[in-house]
Amino acid sequence: MWTDRMLEALEQGVKGGKWFSLMDKVSARRTLEAAWQQVRRNRGAAGVDRMSIERFAARAERILAELESEIKGGRYRPAPVRRCLIPKPGTEQKRALGIPTVKDRVVQAALRAVLEPIFERKFMGSSYGFRPGRSCKDALRRVDERLRQGFVWVVDVDIASYFDTIDHGLLMDDVREDVADGRVLAMVEAFLKDGVMEDGELREVESGTPQGGVISPLLANIYLHPVDVVLHLAGYTSVRYADDIVVLCRSRDEAEHALALLRATMAMRRLVLHPTKTRIANALDEGFDLLGYHFQGGRR
């Protein structure tokens, strides 16, 4: 869906710094078909309409044609997400998962395919989670590299209930910095405001992005991008994978200053650092955990 002219504009910038007329790319049949294939590969459970991947596949051509018509005609409206609780690895706690319908996952995948290249060009190198060509292993290698270089004082960051507390207003402001297509903005907001169906009851949503939505990882990265920028401009080495963040410093004093800057920046983003899980650690002594790995003695 990205033409040579649009790719050139990504490199050189667009007039006024904002992208207009993107909805035709989202609704294009080739975009929806590619989005459906992605959703099909990822599998996943049915949403509130109980339509499975298999049932959708049996009538995919007709549903995609209807979706194309609905989006182009301004009639498309997402359904509420189905909320379920799944175990948190390594704990007895559970986290909420929001499951959109297969149809809505297709639209989200199409929307993400159009928006992602626009924001990828501005994301910082310190961000690794859910980005094309980047992985968990890349993030771990970067941490390992910095530890070997003597950055052994670590600010181990835990954002309290991050995905549930993303402020919709601030997030939409972030998206508007680069996107000016009103229909695309309305679609993003519709996915944010989507209701949640739990135990047969519909609940309105005032903040957060549902974990389980195809577009949620991109929106989560957009929301934390200003934090990455602040840390970079202040000269700190940080590694972020979604909402998992570590800042690597050469001294405890530097780490204390980094933590103070993080607290202030998070407050501006209307986020809260967990009071006990956020800490300063020395990798040579007690170590710290990141993405399922424990770093101690200066290495994994």
Side-chain angles (χ1 to χ4, degrees), residues 13-33:
V14 290
K15 187 176 181 180
K18 294 178 185 274
W19 288 84
F20 295 83
S21 303
L22 293 173
M23 185 55 81
D24 61 319
K25 310 298 186 296
V26 177
S27 62
R29 177 63 72 88
R30 62 184 181 278
T31 308
L32 293 172
E33 288 175 350

Side-chain angles (χ1 to χ4, degrees), residues 1-15 19-22 24-25 30 117-118 121:
M1 76 291 299
W2 280 86
T3 64
D4 291 340
R5 184 177 177 182
M6 291 176 69
L7 290 172
E8 183 180 351
L10 273 178
E11 295 297 323
Q12 299 179 1
V14 290
K15 187 176 181 180
W19 288 84
F20 295 83
S21 303
L22 293 173
D24 61 319
K25 310 298 186 296
R30 62 184 181 278
I118 294 171
R121 81 190 220 293

Side-chain angles (χ1 to χ4, degrees), residues 142 146 151 228-238 247-250 254 258 261:
R142 178 58 173 163
R146 279 318 223 178
F151 293 77
D228 298 336
V229 172
V230 167
L231 290 171
H232 173 74
L233 292 178
Y236 293 110
T237 294
S238 64
V247 185
L248 299 110
C249 305
R250 288 191 179 275
E254 184 183 347
L261 177 62

Side-chain angles (χ1 to χ4, degrees), residues 124-231:
M124 305 297 296
S126 56
S127 168
Y128 292 88
F130 307 106
R131 295 184 58 192
R134 297 186 146 228
S135 69
C136 170
K137 290 183 179 179
D138 294 326
L140 294 170
R141 289 191 191 101
R142 178 58 173 163
V143 171
D144 195 52
E145 174 189 331
R146 279 318 223 178
L147 290 174
R148 292 173 186 273
Q149 292 171 351
F151 293 77
V152 296
W153 285 95
V154 179
V155 183
D156 186 4
V157 180
D158 187 285
I159 305 174
S161 303
Y162 173 60
F163 285 91
D164 294 330
T165 55
I166 291 175
D167 184 273
H168 290 172
L170 290 179
L171 176 55
M172 289 307 301
D173 287 343
D174 294 337
V175 177
R176 288 189 191 97
E177 285 187 10
D178 294 87
V179 176
D181 186 320
R183 293 178 64 191
V184 166
L185 293 170
M187 181 176 282
V188 173
E189 193 159 25
F191 283 125
L192 288 175
K193 301 293 186 184
D194 226 1
V196 172
M197 187 70 74
E198 184 177 17
D199 297 329
E201 293 187 7
L202 180 61
R203 178 170 58 84
E204 292 185 358
V205 176
E206 297 181 356
S207 63
T209 63
Q211 294 188 66
V214 178
I215 200 170
S216 291
L218 173 61
L219 297 179
N221 276 332
I222 291 172
Y223 197 74
L224 282 179
H225 170 68
V227 178
D228 298 336
V229 172
V230 167
L231 290 171

